[in-house]
Amino acid sequence: MKIGFVGLGIMGRPMALNILKGGFDLTVWARRAESMAPLLEAGAKGAASPADVAANCDIVVSMVSDAPDVEAVALGAGGVAEGAKPGLIYIDMSTIAPAAAQSIAARLAEKGVTMLDAPVSGGEVGAINAGLTIMVGGEEAAFEKAKAVLACMGKSVNLIGGSGAGQVTKACNQILTGVTVMAVAEAFNFARKSGVDAGKVREALLGGFAYSRILENHGQRMLDRNFKPGFKAWMHQKDMNIVVQEAHRLGLMLPTSAATAQLFNAMVGSGLGEEDSIAALKLLEGLSGG
Amino acid sequence: MKIGFVGLGIMGRPMALNILKGGFDLTVWARRAESMAPLLEAGAKGAASPADVAANCDIVVSMVSDAPDVEAVALGAGGVAEGAKPGLIYIDMSTIAPAAAQSIAARLAEKGVTMLDAPVSGGEVGAINAGLTIMVGGEEAAFEKAKAVLACMGKSVNLIGGSGAGQVTKACNQILTGVTVMAVAEAFNFARKSGVDAGKVREALLGGFAYSRILENHGQRMLDRNFKPGFKAWMHQKDMNIVVQEAHRLGLMLPTSAATAQLFNAMVGSGLGEEDSIAALKLLEGLSGG
């Protein structure tokens, strides 16, 4: 089975390298030649465009930034649809809106291409050590064919439902992680401004129903004042914007998600966008006397 | 060491029984005689008032509803302060505002009584099986004397800081559990209204950073549509009101906590107050077409 990979950034590069390590024949393309170089050195073939990748492959994976990029890679001039052989499976692993993923999948289907939406969580570290959580939406037959490739990149690979279901699951993940980060930041600032040691509060609560991986891991980093990303605030802002837009489309009230989206907006507006999302603590502290 | 216990409701009764089981001499008082009966049968002595309890004890524990009740038990006519021998330790295990706890402690100190604030989490089940998490504020010397008694009721007993620190920690616990319940309810409603199986979303996310005990435990109960308390929504509403009031007093912005407090208000207003706090899911569903 020949695999293609489009988009070789911070996430895409290690993911593509892990497909190579898995023993697959790999063809890559990225906008910038220097992004392709490490893959070519490792044994991948280079292509001239996503269409050129598609012409040589059974499965094409993409990892880009946003819905317009996915749209261009999949359906634009020189895109996957242009070069695809019948039966090609296209797996987009970017995080985009469920509705956008469904729309792209529907248009690809008209051209004989089957799309899976397969966004990930686990960040750069998970991409490097093949420890990503991969949430997949689409047809089961395509998922079964693609499984071995996805397994090169992640330790938890699940088909959740039809087209868009992977993106819906990722949105739920961003709701839970984003809101919990804010709740921990609020609790820690509340403790500190009440004259109580937030570290002792965290320790006392880890054993009970307040336990979350965010309290344990991100909470410790907050106490250490270690705001290096990790996961940048502007990226979580982008993902919460998807949640808020979907809520608008579906007519859903999501009050804590909406408050969290606003806090990420304020972080980006306050110059905290390039820091980890846990720098929300600094924002809250700054609003109550530092 | 002779122990007293005031307030023998759903939580207080099993807690007092566990002190008896720990081998302590126990004197009890409750407003209603029928609340005292099971304790007297189990070997406790009855008293005529909190002052009467205090006159016979080295440590008096109380477990009542709200700050005015604690105030009455501690400082009212026939209260603990009236009967206390010098050096008495008074441990209030109710959940009240940190500022109220500090104020009561200060007035008791003037009368020679040392107060610990020691609210709990773990609910009725934790009270029955002596598995409560107990968060303590006050002086270390008093905590050391009281530790053996507290250990009869809880498996995790921590001195967090000075007077009020136990209540601050409990408030942080209620922020984390309350906000996380709402985040899980929002994520599940989002998934369902997007046509995706919330159970599959939960399973896919349990292995990653979205993991929380609330997602695991309360999330499963939401999927089972099991809204029996557990912890009633009106009680979480009361606790989030403490958080919001303290935030006002301290000048703190707590956006996800505030949204959560509003959701609990809406639950009580919608007739969901007697259900478990996870019935927030029903509230959100009802706002988006059931």
Side-chain angles (χ1 to χ4, degrees):
Chain A
M1 211 160 52
K2 292 182 172 183
I3 313 302
F5 206 106
V6 172
L8 300 166
I10 291 173
M11 294 293 289
R13 183 164 61 178
M15 290 163 70
L17 281 168
N18 283 327
I19 294 175
L20 261 185
K21 276 184 207 157
F24 286 100
D25 181 289
L26 187 70
T27 303
V28 301
W29 180 81
R31 261 183 236 165
R32 298 180 309 153
E34 61 265 37
S35 299
M36 287 172 67
L39 270 295
L40 302 183
E41 278 164 34
K45 292 168 204 156
S49 67
D52 191 23
V53 173
N56 291 293
C57 293
D58 307 293
I59 294 179
V60 176
V61 180
S62 66
M63 189 62 173
V64 295
S65 295
D66 217 337
D69 307 292
V70 179
E71 189 105 31
V73 165
L75 295 157
V80 167
E82 256 185 42
K85 296 178 284 187
L88 182 99
I89 297 173
Y90 169 59
I91 310 175
D92 177 48
M93 303 186 75
S94 323
T95 295
I96 64 174
Q102 288 168 334
S103 155
I104 294 167
R107 283 175 286 157
L108 283 172
E110 288 168 15
K111 306 186 181 213
V113 175
T114 304
M115 174 168 162
L116 298 173
D117 50 294
V120 305
S121 75
E124 192 183 352
V125 171
I128 291 169
N129 64 22
L132 295 170
T133 295
I134 306 178
M135 302 152 260
V136 189
E139 289 172 18
E140 188 154 6
F143 176 73
E144 289 303 325
K145 281 182 200 158
K147 225 169 165 179
V149 179
L150 295 171
C152 296
M153 297 179 275
K155 66 175 195 320
S156 164
V157 182
N158 291 290
L159 180 68
I160 311 292
S163 179
Q167 297 296 351
V168 168
T169 307
K170 176 68 187 278
C172 290
N173 186 69
Q174 300 308 80
I175 289 173
L176 294 171
T177 55
V179 174
T180 309
V181 162
M182 295 307 169
V184 172
E186 290 179 24
F188 281 13
N189 193 41
F190 180 89
R192 189 181 154 216
K193 294 290 161 55
S194 301
V196 174
D197 182 337
K200 286 189 180 170
V201 170
R202 173 180 163 280
E203 250 172 70
L205 299 187
L206 279 177
F209 275 117
Y211 177 85
S212 63
R213 278 193 68 189
I214 298 285
L215 179 63
E216 183 171 23
N217 180 301
H218 300 54
Q220 186 58 53
R221 286 194 282 125
M222 285 184 202
L223 294 171
D224 296 340
R225 314 296 294 178
N226 174 8
F227 299 112
K228 273 177 292 182
F231 190 62
K232 290 182 179 176
W234 73 261
M235 297 179 78
H236 219 144
Q237 181 205 27
K238 165 186 163 278
D239 294 350
M240 291 310 289
N241 188 47
I242 290 173
V243 170
V244 168
Q245 291 301 316
E246 282 290 295
H248 178 266
R249 193 174 69 85
L250 295 166
L252 299 180
M253 188 177 79
L254 305 174
T256 68
S257 304
T260 297
Q262 291 292 315
L263 280 162
F264 283 126
N265 288 349
M267 287 182 72
V268 171
S270 309
L272 296 168
E274 290 294 327
E275 300 195 25
D276 193 273
S277 60
I278 64 167
L281 179 63
K282 290 205 277 190
L283 179 79
L284 294 175
E285 287 171 346
L287 288 166
S288 51
Chain B
M1 211 159 52
K2 292 184 172 182
I3 315 300
F5 206 107
V6 173
L8 301 166
I10 291 173
M11 293 294 289
R13 183 165 59 178
M15 289 163 72
L17 281 168
N18 283 327
I19 294 176
L20 261 184
K21 277 185 207 157
F24 286 100
D25 181 290
L26 187 70
T27 304
V28 300
W29 181 80
R31 260 181 239 164
R32 298 179 309 154
E34 61 267 37
S35 299
M36 286 172 67
L39 271 295
L40 302 183
E41 278 165 35
K45 293 167 205 157
S49 67
D52 191 23
V53 172
N56 290 295
C57 293
D58 308 294
I59 294 179
V60 176
V61 180
S62 67
M63 189 61 173
V64 294
S65 294
D66 218 336
D69 308 292
V70 180
E71 188 108 27
V73 166
L75 295 156
V80 167
E82 256 185 41
K85 295 179 285 187
L88 182 97
I89 297 173
Y90 169 59
I91 310 175
D92 177 48
M93 303 186 76
S94 323
T95 294
I96 64 173
Q102 288 168 336
S103 156
I104 294 166
R107 282 175 285 158
L108 284 173
E110 288 169 14
K111 306 187 180 212
V113 174
T114 305
M115 174 170 163
L116 298 173
D117 49 295
V120 306
S121 75
E124 191 183 353
V125 173
I128 291 169
N129 65 23
L132 295 171
T133 294
I134 307 178
M135 301 152 261
V136 189
E139 290 172 18
E140 189 154 3
F143 176 72
E144 288 304 325
K145 281 183 201 156
K147 226 169 164 180
V149 180
L150 295 171
C152 297
M153 297 177 275
K155 66 177 196 319
S156 165
V157 182
N158 290 289
L159 180 67
I160 310 290
S163 177
Q167 296 296 350
V168 168
T169 307
K170 176 68 187 280
C172 289
N173 186 69
Q174 299 310 79
I175 289 174
L176 293 172
T177 54
V179 174
T180 310
V181 162
M182 295 307 168
V184 172
E186 290 179 25
F188 281 12
N189 194 41
F190 180 89
R192 189 181 154 214
K193 294 290 161 56
S194 302
V196 174
D197 182 337
K200 287 190 179 171
V201 169
R202 172 181 164 278
E203 251 173 69
L205 300 186
L206 279 177
F209 275 117
Y211 177 84
S212 63
R213 276 194 67 190
I214 299 285
L215 178 63
E216 183 171 22
N217 181 299
H218 299 55
Q220 186 58 52
R221 285 194 284 127
M222 285 185 203
L223 294 171
D224 297 340
R225 314 295 296 178
N226 174 7
F227 300 112
K228 273 177 292 183
F231 190 61
K232 289 182 180 177
W234 73 261
M235 297 181 76
H236 219 143
Q237 181 205 27
K238 164 186 163 279
D239 294 349
M240 290 310 288
N241 189 46
I242 290 173
V243 169
V244 167
Q245 291 303 316
E246 282 290 294
H248 178 266
R249 194 175 68 86
L250 296 165
L252 299 180
M253 186 175 80
L254 305 175
T256 68
S257 304
T260 297
Q262 291 292 315
L263 280 162
F264 283 125
N265 288 349
M267 286 180 73
V268 171
S270 308
L272 296 168
E274 290 292 328
E275 300 196 25
D276 192 274
S277 60
I278 64 167
L281 179 63
K282 290 205 277 190
L283 179 78
L284 295 175
E285 287 171 345
L287 289 165
S288 51

